[in-house]
Amino acid sequence: MFDKHTDEAVKAWVPAWLMKVALFMVIIPTMGLFGISSANINAASGFYGFEPMDVQYSGIAFYAAVTSFFALERRFFNYIAVKEYLLLGAILELGATYICFSTHNLPVLFTFRFIQGMANCSISSICITLVFRQLRGERAREIGYSIFYGMLLCVSQISMMVTSPILETFDFNVLYKGLMFVFIPGVILLYFLLNKARLSDKSHLYKLDWQSFVIYAALLLLVGYMLVYGQQYYWFEDKRMVWSLVAIVLFLSLHILRQLYLKRPYLSLEVYKYRNFKVGAVLIFALYICRGALNVTNSYFAAVMGMDPIHIAYMLLANSAGIVCTAFVSSRLIIMKKPMRLILMAGFGLMLIFHLWMRMLFSSEAIETAYLLPLFIQGAGAGLLMSPLILYMVSAVPAQLGGMASATGVFFRFFGFSCSIAFINYYSLVKQRVHYDRFQQHITALDPIAVQKLSAYKQSFVAKGIAPEQAKVMADRLMHKSVVVQSQLRYAIDYYELISWCLLVIILLIAVYPYLNRTIVNVKSNQPAPASF
């Protein structure tokens, strides 16, 4: 990368190492803005005084902005010279980040997280385009895509590892300030390394389809709202959910009709005519559902094992190691033109092993090191699947539809991410309550095991010099805590069992689907768009 500058956008005197450093300094905090919502939900909700689901929705707003602005951003990218576009995006991102740092108002936070996502899309587009313009060969591009998408998979783990020590000392909003201070030097450096040139042929901004952007953005925000808050409001028992569904149907209908009748559609529906694109979309959706299930393990580490965020972050390093290892393996398999069916079966097979293994490891008492290998395997499965699936989706359509395929693919990743939150919220609120009630029914004076357990708790407290009356109260509390732990374990086991069955079905369908290998991945003629989060 950057062995020799053939790009007119970069000044001739700039050494390769300096350009790498500048891009790294801009990309890392840009990706960090995406992971900041999931870095420590409890710390964020405690600082702002919001519900944990409000913090989740702030991440959804950011992701919805990236997804909806994706297609419109290319028009600005093609019209504005790279230096001016970088400066404009940086000012917008810094302004939005500063307001997120200073506000305690929930609607303001949601609004500027959305604006942050739009600016983030622009900055990412510049950086990734600069990187991939230097990767001339197909081999280098395939490796580059694997590294990039591997970095995206590691964002949450790295964010947790970096932010957990900071949150031990400072308030949550300091994270926004820190990202601003890390981002500014990189932007300044990159600005002075660039020429006043364009990264693509200039196109005018006439007939800018901002109406489609507004409709699509509203649709995504409403979908995210329903999926995040649905269980909290008991779905359609609440009028907010009913009206949200009505609005979703309305905006979806408007979006489809508009794209069908526009001469130059915002998001062409023609990509859905290609069978393997639809297969890839379903598989990338399934990948994000499985990837989101890792949050159940994180909750288990925190609530049952009693780990603090720093400890969990170090445990997840094993997961990141798995992603890094197989991200390179996946690029090698694509270069060697190995059958896509085998790559996908291997990736989802590793995911299946993780969920079955963790289902057996969930326990109220366990050795921490026992979880490292399953976490590595989960990361290995995700790293093996991410880049091949995205490249497969884009290669499944003609080259002229590659950009549309990328933009549509981002929607399925957004939808999978949002649905994963909804499924986990449902299981954690409903299934966990069901198990809790069942356990409570057995804790009666007629149950000899419960009586024996309570007596043992009471005697242990009395032996430590606590009065019998107080010891009885403390024993009841300890029994209640034990019931809560057991109900959480049962919900985690149930959820992973469901995911395991889904993965088994996916692997069998991949094995018998006859058309999977007919799509040839070729990034020379058909490449994902640069800002494809």
Side-chain angles (χ1 to χ4, degrees):
M1 192 191 304
F2 300 109
D3 291 330
K4 182 180 179 181
H5 287 308
T6 58
D7 196 338
E8 66 277 4
V10 181
K11 293 180 178 178
W13 58 267
V14 177
W17 65 266
L18 184 58
M19 194 63 189
K20 292 178 184 178
V21 169
L23 288 170
F24 183 81
M25 290 173 65
V26 174
I27 290 174
I28 293 303
T30 298
M31 289 185 172
L33 283 173
F34 178 72
I36 198 171
S37 295
S38 57
N40 193 321
I41 291 177
N42 291 330
S45 59
F47 172 77
Y48 288 111
F50 304 153
E51 293 290 333
M53 291 175 186
D54 296 329
V55 180
Q56 288 179 330
Y57 189 67
S58 71
I60 292 290
F62 183 95
Y63 210 159
V66 173
T67 307
S68 57
F69 190 58
F70 192 94
L72 190 64
E73 185 273 334
R74 298 304 299 170
R75 298 290 302 276
F76 294 103
F77 181 85
N78 294 336
Y79 178 74
I80 306 173
V82 61
K83 288 189 72 168
E84 287 76 9
Y85 195 47
L86 174 67
L87 187 61
L88 180 64
I91 291 171
L92 191 62
E93 183 168 307
L94 287 170
T97 304
Y98 177 77
I99 293 175
C100 291
F101 160 74
S102 58
T103 188
H104 280 75
N105 183 282
L106 189 60
V108 172
L109 180 66
F110 288 161
T111 301
F112 284 91
R113 280 292 279 168
F114 185 87
I115 295 172
Q116 213 174 46
M118 293 172 60
N120 195 283
C121 185
S122 301
I123 296 294
S124 299
S125 184
I126 294 169
C127 293
I128 304 306
T129 301
L130 285 170
V131 170
F132 284 98
R133 279 167 68 95
Q134 306 298 325
L135 302 177
R136 301 296 178 183
E138 183 178 2
R139 176 191 177 94
R141 286 183 177 274
E142 286 167 347
I143 294 173
Y145 284 121
S146 296
I147 294 172
F148 173 62
Y149 290 117
M151 289 172 62
L152 288 181
L153 286 173
C154 293
V155 163
S156 295
Q157 297 93 307
I158 294 174
S159 296
M160 181 180 289
M161 186 177 65
V162 173
T163 60
S164 294
I166 298 173
L167 293 175
E168 289 289 320
T169 308
F170 300 99
D171 290 332
F172 181 84
N173 66 337
V174 170
L175 298 182
Y176 287 113
K177 182 190 286 187
L179 284 172
M180 284 191 289
F181 285 125
V182 173
F183 180 67
I184 290 171
V187 168
I188 293 173
L189 177 60
L190 184 59
Y191 181 83
F192 286 108
L193 298 183
L194 297 176
N195 287 318
K196 290 184 177 181
R198 286 181 172 80
L199 297 177
S200 60
D201 294 335
K202 183 178 180 180
S203 62
H204 295 286
L205 291 179
Y206 65 90
K207 295 183 179 179
L208 200 64
D209 194 7
W210 60 268
Q211 298 95 329
S212 291
F213 164 68
V214 171
I215 293 170
Y216 191 41
L219 172 64
L220 296 182
L221 290 170
L222 285 166
V223 168
Y225 177 79
M226 275 200 69
L227 292 173
V228 171
Y229 292 100
Q231 189 57 52
Q232 183 181 8
Y233 297 144
Y234 298 99
W235 294 102
F236 300 115
E237 294 180 18
D238 191 289
K239 289 184 178 180
R240 285 170 289 191
M241 292 296 106
V242 174
W243 285 111
S244 294
L245 180 61
V246 171
I248 287 171
V249 173
L250 175 62
F251 281 119
L252 180 61
S253 303
L254 285 173
H255 175 72
I256 293 173
L257 290 173
R258 185 173 177 83
Q259 303 318 304
L260 288 174
Y261 287 100
L262 280 176
K263 184 178 180 180
R264 295 182 179 86
Y266 188 77
L267 285 176
S268 177
L269 302 181
E270 193 175 345
V271 294
Y272 293 104
K273 294 180 180 178
Y274 299 90
R275 179 168 40 199
N276 281 2
F277 173 83
K278 291 182 283 188
V279 171
V282 171
L283 293 178
I284 200 73
F285 173 81
L287 171 60
Y288 269 69
I289 294 293
C290 297
R291 183 66 181 162
L294 185 62
N295 290 322
V296 176
T297 299
N298 295 344
S299 299
Y300 163 74
F301 286 155
V304 179
M305 298 290 288
M307 296 184 189
D308 58 24
I310 298 176
H311 202 160
I312 296 173
Y314 285 120
M315 291 286 289
L316 291 178
L317 285 177
N319 188 257
S320 299
I323 293 171
V324 171
C325 290
T326 52
F328 287 101
V329 172
S330 68
S331 65
R332 182 65 181 168
L333 292 174
I334 293 173
I335 291 168
M336 295 171 65
K337 307 297 181 184
K338 295 296 182 182
M340 184 59 67
R341 177 183 292 173
L342 296 181
I343 297 174
L344 298 180
M345 288 180 66
F348 282 111
L350 289 172
M351 287 285 194
L352 178 60
I353 291 171
F354 165 76
H355 287 89
L356 291 174
W357 197 344
M358 284 300 300
R359 188 179 179 277
M360 294 185 291
L361 287 178
F362 283 134
S363 173
S364 57
E365 296 179 1
I367 301 173
E368 296 168 7
T369 53
Y371 300 99
L372 295 179
L373 185 55
L375 288 171
F376 179 89
I377 290 174
Q378 204 271 1
L384 194 61
L385 289 170
M386 183 70 165
S387 179
L389 270 177
I390 293 171
L391 295 175
Y392 179 82
M393 288 179 65
V394 177
S395 300
V397 301
Q400 65 270 19
L401 291 176
M404 293 295 179
S406 290
T408 308
V410 178
F411 165 75
F412 284 100
R413 303 211 291 281
F414 165 83
F415 191 53
F417 177 78
S418 303
C419 285
S420 177
I421 293 175
F423 294 155
I424 292 174
N425 286 344
Y426 170 76
Y427 264 76
S428 63
L429 293 174
V430 175
K431 292 294 184 180
Q432 187 173 348
R433 185 67 193 182
V434 169
H435 289 301
Y436 178 82
D437 291 339
R438 286 177 181 173
F439 284 127
Q440 285 284 63
Q441 290 172 5
H442 291 284
I443 303 177
T444 66
L446 301 177
D447 187 350
I449 298 177
V451 172
Q452 183 181 0
K453 195 75 172 176
L454 279 169
S455 178
Y457 286 150
K458 180 179 177 181
Q459 291 301 323
S460 66
F461 288 127
V462 170
K464 295 177 182 179
I466 298 173
E469 295 79 7
Q470 188 177 356
K472 183 180 183 303
V473 173
M474 295 175 69
D476 290 339
R477 289 177 180 175
L478 200 57
M479 178 63 78
H480 171 74
K481 182 179 179 181
S482 178
V483 170
V484 171
V485 167
Q486 291 301 318
S487 62
Q488 180 150 4
L489 285 173
R490 285 305 312 172
Y491 120 74
I493 291 171
D494 289 349
Y495 189 71
Y496 273 35
E497 182 178 357
L498 173 65
I499 297 294
S500 298
W501 280 111
C502 293
L503 284 168
L504 183 60
V505 170
I506 289 169
I507 292 169
L508 292 175
L509 290 176
I510 292 172
V512 301
Y513 184 65
Y515 301 102
L516 203 63
N517 288 331
R518 295 189 180 181
T519 295
I520 306 300
V521 174
N522 183 1
V523 297
K524 282 185 178 179
S525 59
N526 217 357
Q527 303 169 29
S532 49
F533 272 92

